[in-house]
Amino acid sequence: MDKKILDTLKTYAKNSYSPYSKYKVVAMLFCGSGDVYMGVNVENASYSVTMCAERSALFSAVSNGERKFEGIIIYSPSKVMPYPCGACLQALSEFAGRDFMVTVANDREEISANFKEFFPRSFKL
Ligand SMILES: [Zn+2]
C-alpha cells in the first residue's frame, strides 16, 4: 500500500471512537469525482447503534452528492483483519459498480479483491 495512504489511515485510526471494543477501523472511500471520504467506527453504550467505518464514509460521501465509487480501503491497526460486515456490504452494493475494488488491511496483511468476490449476491429492488 502507498505510504501516504497508510499514513493517512493510521492518522484517522486515532479518530475511531471505540471505547468498548478497543477495535479501531478506518475506511477510505474513493469516489468517481476524485474526492476521497474517510470514515471511522463510532461505538455507543447501546451497542446496536454503533456505526461501522465503511458506512460512516459511504453516508458522508452520499450526503455530499457522491454516487459513483471506485473503491474502498478498510484498515485496522489491530491484529484482526477488518473484513466488512454484512450490513456494510449491503450498503455498499447499492453503489458498487462492476469495477469497485475492496482492500482490507492491517499492519501484517493486505487483501484486495473486486467487490463481487466479497459479496456476490445482494438484495436489490
Ligand atoms: Zn460494517
Side-chain angles (χ1 to χ4, degrees), residues 52 54-55 84-88:
C52 301
E54 300 93 312
R55 280 180 287 157
C85 76
C88 286

Side-chain angles (χ1 to χ4, degrees), residues 25 50-56 74 82-89 91-92:
V25 182
T50 291
M51 182 52 63
C52 301
E54 300 93 312
R55 280 180 287 157
S56 293
I74 307 158
Y83 291 109
C85 76
C88 286
L89 289 170
L92 288 166

Side-chain angles (χ1 to χ4, degrees), residues 56-72:
S56 293
L58 177 65
F59 296 167
S60 177
V62 171
S63 296
N64 282 282
E66 301 286 355
R67 294 293 185 274
K68 294 186 177 172
F69 302 98
E70 296 179 350
I72 190 168

